[in-house]
Amino acid sequence: MSDPLEQVFTAVDELSSTFIVNLAAAVAIPSVSADPEHRKDVFAMGKWLAEQMKAIGCIVESRKNPLGKQEGTEMELPDILLGHYGTDPAKKTVLVYGHYDVQPAQKEDGWAAEPFTLTEDKSTGRLFGRGSTDDKGPVLGWLHAIQAFQKAKVDFPVNLKMCFEGMEEYGSEGLEELVKQEAKRYFADCDVVCISDNYWLGETKPCLTYGLRGVQYFNIVVAGPQTDLHSGVYGGTVHEPMTDLVGILASLVASNGKILIPGIYDQVSKLTAEEQKLYENIDFTLEEFQKSIGHNVNIKDNIADTLMSRWRFPSLSLHGIEGAFSQSGAKTVIPGKVQGKFSIRTVPDMTAEEVSKCVKTHIEQVFNTSGSKNRLSIEELHAGAYWYSSPNHPNFQAAAAATKRVYGVEPDFTREGGSIPITTVLAEIGNVCLLPMGSGNDNAHGPAESIPKRNYIEGTKLLGAYLYELSRTDLNV
Amino acid sequence: MSDPLEQVFTAVDELSSTFIVNLAAAVAIPSVSADPEHRKDVFAMGKWLAEQMKAIGCIVESRKNPLGKQEGTEMELPDILLGHYGTDPAKKTVLVYGHYDVQPAQKEDGWAAEPFTLTEDKSTGRLFGRGSTDDKGPVLGWLHAIQAFQKAKVDFPVNLKMCFEGMEEYGSEGLEELVKQEAKRYFADCDVVCISDNYWLGETKPCLTYGLRGVQYFNIVVAGPQTDLHSGVYGGTVHEPMTDLVGILASLVASNGKILIPGIYDQVSKLTAEEQKLYENIDFTLEEFQKSIGHNVNIKDNIADTLMSRWRFPSLSLHGIEGAFSQSGAKTVIPGKVQGKFSIRTVPDMTAEEVSKCVKTHIEQVFNTSGSKNRLSIEELHAGAYWYSSPNHPNFQAAAAATKRVYGVEPDFTREGGSIPITTVLAEIGNVCLLPMGSGNDNAHGPAESIPKRNYIEGTKLLGAYLYELSRTDLNV
């Protein structure tokens, strides 16, 4: 008897046209969570997905969103689908997460065809349609993996628990609450977690993602005169809040990206030789990076340093100023009160408390030495923790083995610079591996979203292979 | 026979109730130049004013605005009224300027009564109504001065030329063009110019204004990535335009108002002991100043230094940033292109060319040393020259003598921090004196605009006395 995984792969290939038909049916439901007009479609999509799950033997609970109505509206939040397939106590239990809602899309934004009609482009080998790669393709991938095991008559290697939400593109409202409620109940027996909702770096090389940066968002408020003043009448006579604020903002970060706040880098974990090597072998070029930013304004002159700056070092960005003149043209105002917004992307082993302390101490020191008589306050608008999992964890070893089986190459081990808040929540349940299906050029939130047909079909094999490899992996190393 | 000026003053007192009736009629025409709905009222006001002028014997030309239609609209710009009274070659010729349009006003903005109904408040002695002090009261003051000389049967002491426009509150569109056209024709024989369109510093002490600061407005453009980027994905890897811009803005001015651009102060005329004395005797207190800014954020701890900072030294104000996040809330954007707006208030003997040169040299130097790969450009959006006239000019001596006659005190000699662009244009015709009628608390552009009844009636005497004193002054000293 041949390798059971080869039989599953053969089944995927045989079923591939069905899988594309299923994706077309999913894309055809415009489940745009941000648009009240489409809320009914989000519910319809949840219902359709639950039926697909049941049809292949999953047990599905459509949980009412714990927050009930969407904040500030009379709209019901969509259900969160909890499903499971298999309850064999001898098998490991894997939790997978995905979302069935999508970003808005209108043809005139730059789509060649209707965004909610799945359209294959033979010349590029891509399947175009909103949700094709984010995240309907990967969500269906998990179900199709089950179908392929069934068709190949290969014993399903794990117990699969599924958590699919319908508000991801609008802040995942209610999901954290539900996960926390169920962490010790529904999710209590999950050994590891897998999320397929991100992308390869480029077009050709598969990757596994083991880290995300966190974020702490600050607002500096400088208040001076009671109201805005005329700069002709008052310029030179009053401490201007804009002058103070700009002085503070300029003290935070240098043009080369170096954070100038004392103490920030002291908290950053040291780069090891082993980790350094991960970056040097990653399949991504400076040219690809420059293309993605549309200009040659990269700070580092090689891709390894660029990726480290993006993933494993903190950064500080100045986002803007509230309360000052921001229109086009020329207005001679002295703003009476201004607010400067900036955020710091955080990495291991920074702590939110220490970052806040360093930020506040530094800003107060800069302001106090300015001699200004204005009033300063510093607010922290939100904070989200970074997430980091060792790429040597057995969960990643299983995913890497699966990648090698399907694509014939070792995956790149990558991190991402942004945060996916649900990851840190799910990390409370078990080790999380981010296992992307789509490619780096899928334009997930933009016009003409697509997924390469290869990524969709081979990606389905990848998800199945991951579950198979995981079942053979010792989690206790 | 008694002092002829006393006879004129008596006539003003006898006519005072008529003068208030006239002001009420003028206020009742809502000649709001900024509001298309009221454009017909601006025309109506011009017609009414021309009739008033003709009724007392002026020869009036209603000149079509040289710009024709208002830019970007199909609306005709209001006429500019040119009038003259007297053509005696033995007399001096005085040009007076005023405007018959007003700022917008709505009762709900904070008016106790209807803004376009002149309302006397006996408790404060003030006449409330839009345009009462800015500038219908002063414009009528000139006409009423003529009437008072007529009633007193005192020979009118000068030839009076008048220039009254209807677009002052909306940029004086077309006025400069007309004045330049007529400088060598209609205005060619004018010896001096008087403008009554500003205010005393406070409530009690009359003043004459001999200087205005100029303004040069700059826009610094820093462009980097092709579009806005996500700060999670790109933070730390690209030169961020906001970081560069904020670094430049912070290098321009200190919290204590000191301009940090090398070369700016080298051009500022030195303070003489005589000039210093002018500031020390001015009737204005630090408490009044703090009240006007609504807080104690004054830079200087005495009023003389405060007034010098406001009037005779340059200042630099940062107005705001275009292209960055400026709303409330928290957005994690890296703006791809940002524009920083600032302006410098200029004073004697700065030149626009030298200021531009210093600004550009400094900014380029700061940017070049930052090591940024972004693109910088510096635009000068507009420039208006400062205006300065010696307070010892005979035109001011006449105005000072008139003030002493009417109010019994020497006026303060003041400057203003803002610019009144038409002043520099009229200064081409002859020495300009700014001779205010209203008080510092008239709230000219705000709700509940008013003029003290005393200022309106004694101010009419002041304008008449000025013309009388001027006729007896040797202009060739």
Side-chain angles (χ1 to χ4, degrees):
Chain A
M1 185 179 146
S2 71
D3 177 2
L5 212 42
E6 285 303 324
Q7 299 171 34
V8 173
F9 292 173
T10 302
V12 169
D13 287 331
E14 287 168 3
L15 289 167
S16 62
S17 55
T18 320
F19 295 165
I20 291 171
V21 168
N22 278 353
L23 183 58
V27 165
I29 304 171
S31 53
V32 180
S33 50
D35 185 349
E37 297 281 307
H38 283 299
R39 181 56 52 90
K40 64 180 190 315
D41 299 311
V42 182
F43 275 93
M45 180 67 205
K47 197 167 167 229
W48 181 89
L49 182 60
E51 281 159 11
Q52 299 293 312
M53 293 162 74
K54 287 174 194 160
I56 57 170
C58 299
I59 293 165
V60 183
E61 301 178 27
S62 267
R63 289 288 182 88
K64 272 202 130 19
N65 193 297
L67 298 184
K69 293 196 164 110
Q70 188 170 330
E71 206 184 332
T73 75
E74 284 303 303
M75 272 188 304
E76 291 287 338
L77 288 163
D79 293 352
I80 295 167
L81 303 182
L82 297 182
H84 68 263
Y85 183 76
T87 53
D88 184 342
K91 292 178 182 171
K92 299 187 185 85
T93 299
V94 179
L95 172 64
V96 300
Y97 160 89
H99 62 91
Y100 60 82
D101 63 320
V102 294
Q103 284 277 321
Q106 293 200 299
K107 193 177 177 202
E108 50 272 31
D109 294 340
W111 292 77
E114 288 299 330
F116 296 106
T117 302
L118 192 75
T119 310
E120 184 173 353
D121 178 350
K122 301 264 184 202
S123 69
T124 58
R126 283 182 170 273
L127 302 166
F128 286 86
R130 178 56 90 216
S132 55
T133 194
D134 180 19
D135 187 38
K136 290 177 174 176
V139 163
L140 288 177
W142 293 114
L143 308 191
H144 293 156
I146 296 174
Q147 281 187 268
F149 276 94
Q150 290 171 342
K151 182 177 168 75
K153 298 193 167 55
V154 174
D155 180 47
F156 199 67
V158 299
N159 303 316
L160 195 65
K161 288 210 164 175
M162 288 154 272
C163 175
F164 298 140
E165 66 160 322
M167 282 301 282
E168 198 270 349
E169 303 292 6
Y170 204 74
S172 289
E173 281 191 47
L175 183 65
E176 182 171 346
E177 289 76 4
L178 185 101
V179 170
K180 290 198 163 163
Q181 279 170 22
E182 298 298 338
K184 303 280 176 239
R185 297 192 295 189
Y186 195 87
F187 299 134
D189 58 353
C190 296
D191 297 297
V192 293
V193 182
C194 187
I195 302 176
S196 186
D197 187 22
N198 67 320
Y199 311 94
W200 296 354
L201 263 181
E203 286 254 7
T204 52
K205 188 80 178 287
C207 69
L208 304 178
T209 304
Y210 64 95
L212 301 167
R213 294 196 291 189
V215 62
Q216 286 180 249
Y217 202 107
F218 295 92
N219 186 33
I220 308 170
V221 185
V222 183
Q226 191 65 27
T227 56
D228 290 359
L229 298 175
H230 187 290
S231 67
V233 181
Y234 291 98
T237 64
V238 298
H239 292 283
E240 300 189 12
M242 264 297 274
T243 305
D244 294 339
L245 178 61
V246 159
I248 292 168
L249 293 177
S251 78
L252 300 176
V253 60
S255 182
N256 66 2
K258 184 164 188 278
I259 299 173
L260 304 174
I261 301 166
I264 292 292
Y265 290 107
D266 299 346
Q267 307 172 56
V268 178
S269 72
K270 297 286 167 276
L271 183 71
T272 63
E274 183 194 16
E275 190 194 346
Q276 169 90 39
K277 227 177 278 165
L278 281 179
Y279 294 101
E280 283 166 2
N281 296 325
I282 283 172
D283 183 33
F284 197 56
T285 66
L286 208 54
E287 290 65 38
E288 285 174 276
F289 179 72
Q290 286 176 338
K291 197 176 156 202
S292 79
I293 57 177
H295 231 284
N296 70 338
V297 295
N298 49 296
I299 293 173
K300 304 292 185 183
D301 63 1
N302 67 77
I303 198 65
D305 284 339
T306 298
L307 292 176
M308 280 191 271
S309 298
R310 185 173 181 167
W311 296 342
R312 72 99 59 218
F313 285 114
S315 64
L316 190 155
S317 295
L318 307 175
H319 304 300
I321 294 174
E322 180 182 347
F325 176 54
S326 62
Q327 306 300 110
S328 61
K331 188 179 173 190
T332 54
V333 69
I334 297 174
K337 178 184 169 187
V338 286
Q339 306 188 52
K341 319 280 178 84
F342 73 95
S343 67
I344 298 178
R345 297 285 162 174
T346 57
V347 297
D349 299 316
M350 296 164 80
T351 68
E353 296 69 27
E354 186 64 18
V355 169
S356 300
K357 200 181 120 203
C358 290
V359 164
K360 285 173 187 176
T361 302
H362 171 74
I363 291 176
E364 281 163 5
Q365 193 264 329
V366 169
F367 182 72
N368 290 340
T369 52
S370 76
S372 173
K373 290 158 78 180
N374 292 324
R375 281 99 56 215
L376 168 76
S377 60
I378 305 161
E379 300 167 353
E380 191 160 348
L381 297 189
H382 65 77
Y386 59 80
W387 165 74
Y388 175 83
S389 170
S390 165
N392 298 323
H393 188 281
N395 195 19
F396 282 83
Q397 287 176 14
T403 305
K404 187 107 196 252
R405 280 295 292 265
V406 173
Y407 287 105
V409 293
E410 293 287 346
D412 283 337
F413 284 88
T414 66
R415 290 159 76 162
E416 293 206 0
S419 37
I420 307 178
I422 194 60
T423 310
T424 53
V425 177
L426 294 175
E428 300 287 313
I429 293 168
N431 178 276
V432 178
C433 175
L434 302 192
L435 178 58
M437 177 184 263
S439 89
N441 299 331
D442 290 359
N443 212 18
H445 284 196
E449 175 184 342
S450 66
I451 189 168
K453 190 172 162 184
R454 171 180 183 242
N455 285 54
Y456 181 54
I457 301 303
E458 300 304 298
T460 300
K461 294 178 187 170
L462 177 67
L463 300 183
Y466 159 73
L467 299 175
Y468 180 81
E469 294 292 347
L470 191 84
S471 72
R472 312 195 319 163
T473 302
D474 183 358
L475 291 180
N476 301 312
V477 260
Chain B
M1 189 181 146
S2 71
D3 178 1
L5 213 42
E6 285 303 323
Q7 297 171 34
V8 173
F9 290 174
T10 302
V12 169
D13 287 330
E14 288 168 3
L15 290 166
S16 62
S17 56
T18 320
F19 295 166
I20 291 171
V21 168
N22 278 353
L23 184 57
V27 166
I29 304 171
S31 51
V32 180
S33 50
D35 185 348
E37 297 281 307
H38 282 300
R39 181 57 52 90
K40 65 181 189 314
D41 299 311
V42 182
F43 276 93
M45 180 66 204
K47 197 165 166 230
W48 180 88
L49 183 59
E51 280 160 13
Q52 300 292 310
M53 292 163 75
K54 287 175 192 159
I56 57 168
C58 299
I59 293 165
V60 183
E61 301 177 27
S62 267
R63 289 288 182 87
K64 272 202 129 20
N65 193 295
L67 298 184
K69 294 197 163 107
Q70 187 171 330
E71 205 184 333
T73 76
E74 284 303 303
M75 273 190 300
E76 291 286 338
L77 288 163
D79 294 350
I80 295 166
L81 302 182
L82 298 182
H84 69 263
Y85 183 74
T87 55
D88 185 343
K91 292 176 182 172
K92 297 185 185 85
T93 299
V94 178
L95 172 63
V96 299
Y97 160 88
H99 63 90
Y100 60 83
D101 63 319
V102 294
Q103 284 276 323
Q106 294 201 298
K107 194 177 176 202
E108 51 272 29
D109 293 340
W111 293 77
E114 289 298 330
F116 296 106
T117 302
L118 192 75
T119 309
E120 184 173 352
D121 178 350
K122 301 268 185 200
S123 70
T124 57
R126 284 183 171 271
L127 302 165
F128 285 87
R130 178 57 90 216
S132 55
T133 195
D134 180 19
D135 187 36
K136 290 176 174 177
V139 163
L140 288 177
W142 293 113
L143 308 190
H144 293 154
I146 296 173
Q147 281 186 269
F149 276 94
Q150 290 171 341
K151 182 177 168 76
K153 298 194 167 55
V154 174
D155 181 49
F156 199 69
V158 299
N159 303 315
L160 193 66
K161 288 210 163 174
M162 288 152 274
C163 174
F164 298 140
E165 66 158 322
M167 283 300 283
E168 199 271 347
E169 303 293 5
Y170 204 75
S172 290
E173 282 191 45
L175 183 65
E176 182 172 344
E177 288 76 5
L178 185 100
V179 170
K180 290 199 162 163
Q181 280 169 20
E182 297 298 338
K184 303 280 176 236
R185 299 192 294 189
Y186 195 85
F187 299 135
D189 58 352
C190 295
D191 296 298
V192 293
V193 182
C194 188
I195 301 176
S196 187
D197 188 22
N198 67 319
Y199 312 95
W200 298 353
L201 263 182
E203 286 255 6
T204 53
K205 188 79 178 289
C207 70
L208 304 178
T209 304
Y210 65 96
L212 301 167
R213 294 196 290 189
V215 63
Q216 287 181 246
Y217 202 108
F218 295 92
N219 186 34
I220 308 170
V221 185
V222 183
Q226 191 66 26
T227 55
D228 291 359
L229 298 175
H230 189 290
S231 67
V233 181
Y234 291 99
T237 64
V238 297
H239 292 283
E240 299 190 12
M242 265 297 274
T243 305
D244 294 339
L245 178 62
V246 160
I248 292 169
L249 293 176
S251 78
L252 301 175
V253 61
S255 183
N256 66 3
K258 185 166 187 276
I259 299 173
L260 304 174
I261 302 167
I264 291 291
Y265 289 107
D266 300 346
Q267 309 172 55
V268 178
S269 72
K270 298 286 167 278
L271 182 71
T272 63
E274 183 194 17
E275 191 195 345
Q276 169 91 40
K277 227 177 279 167
L278 281 178
Y279 294 101
E280 283 167 1
N281 295 325
I282 283 172
D283 184 34
F284 196 57
T285 67
L286 207 55
E287 290 65 38
E288 285 174 276
F289 179 73
Q290 286 176 338
K291 199 177 153 198
S292 78
I293 58 177
H295 232 283
N296 70 338
V297 293
N298 49 295
I299 293 172
K300 304 290 183 183
D301 63 1
N302 67 78
I303 197 66
D305 283 338
T306 298
L307 292 176
M308 280 191 273
S309 298
R310 185 173 180 165
W311 295 342
R312 70 101 57 220
F313 286 114
S315 64
L316 191 155
S317 294
L318 307 175
H319 305 300
I321 293 174
E322 181 182 346
F325 177 52
S326 62
Q327 306 300 111
S328 61
K331 188 178 173 189
T332 54
V333 69
I334 297 174
K337 178 184 169 187
V338 287
Q339 307 187 52
K341 318 280 178 86
F342 73 94
S343 67
I344 297 178
R345 296 287 163 174
T346 57
V347 296
D349 300 314
M350 296 162 80
T351 66
E353 295 69 29
E354 186 64 18
V355 168
S356 300
K357 201 182 119 200
C358 291
V359 164
K360 287 174 187 175
T361 303
H362 171 74
I363 291 176
E364 282 163 4
Q365 194 263 328
V366 169
F367 182 72
N368 290 340
T369 52
S370 77
S372 173
K373 289 159 79 179
N374 292 324
R375 282 96 58 212
L376 168 77
S377 59
I378 306 162
E379 300 168 353
E380 191 160 350
L381 297 189
H382 66 76
Y386 59 79
W387 165 74
Y388 174 82
S389 169
S390 166
N392 299 320
H393 188 281
N395 194 19
F396 282 82
Q397 289 177 14
T403 305
K404 188 104 196 258
R405 280 294 293 265
V406 173
Y407 286 106
V409 293
E410 294 287 347
D412 282 337
F413 284 89
T414 66
R415 290 158 76 161
E416 294 205 359
S419 39
I420 308 179
I422 194 59
T423 310
T424 53
V425 177
L426 295 175
E428 300 286 315
I429 292 168
N431 179 276
V432 178
C433 176
L434 302 192
L435 179 58
M437 177 184 262
S439 89
N441 299 330
D442 291 359
N443 212 17
H445 284 196
E449 175 184 343
S450 67
I451 189 168
K453 191 171 160 184
R454 173 181 180 241
N455 284 54
Y456 181 53
I457 301 302
E458 299 305 298
T460 301
K461 293 177 189 171
L462 177 67
L463 300 183
Y466 158 72
L467 299 174
Y468 180 81
E469 294 292 347
L470 191 85
S471 73
R472 311 196 320 163
T473 302
D474 183 358
L475 292 180
N476 301 310
V477 262

